[in-house]
């Protein structure tokens, strides 16, 4: 039989990403998109294929008037989306 730790590994690996996504949501709700973006960038360090982070990074950049950043994050989101 397979070791138990290998079966649980994906759940543990996903937990830090979810914590960072939750932090991003929290900071966004508090009007601190700068801190929300920091959390979202950390998501992508932990999981470069994560699909929600580029979407929200594009959204926040667009809301802040950073058109170039918004386009870059939108393109990354489009690449990650099926």
């Amino acid at each position: 039989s397979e070791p138990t730790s290998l079966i649980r590994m994906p759940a543990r690996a996903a937990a830090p990403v979810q914590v960072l996504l939750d932090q991003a949501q929290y900071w966004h709700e508090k009007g601190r998109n700068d801190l929300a973006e920091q959390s979202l960038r950390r998501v992508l360090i932990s999981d470069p294929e994560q699909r929600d982070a580029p979407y929200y990074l594009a959204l926040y950049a667009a809301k802040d008037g950073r058109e170039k950043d918004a386009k870059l994050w939108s393109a990354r989101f489009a690449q990650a989306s099926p």
Side-chain angles (χ1 to χ4, degrees), residues 18-64:
Q18 188 58 54
V19 168
L20 290 168
L21 290 171
D22 292 346
Q23 284 179 354
Q25 177 73 25
Y26 172 83
W27 287 119
H28 172 69
E29 290 172 359
K30 299 294 182 188
R32 293 295 309 268
N33 285 349
D34 58 324
L35 295 175
E37 287 185 36
Q38 284 180 10
S39 293
L40 293 169
R41 290 174 193 270
R42 289 181 185 143
V43 166
L44 294 174
I45 290 168
S46 180
D47 181 1
E49 302 301 317
Q50 209 285 334
R51 293 176 31 200
D52 295 329
Y55 171 81
Y56 287 107
L57 284 164
L59 182 66
Y60 299 160
K63 285 184 178 186
D64 290 343

Side-chain angles (χ1 to χ4, degrees), residues 1 11-12 30 47 76 79-80:
S1 86
R12 284 195 312 244
K30 299 294 182 188
D47 181 1
R76 184 160 176 181
Q79 289 176 339

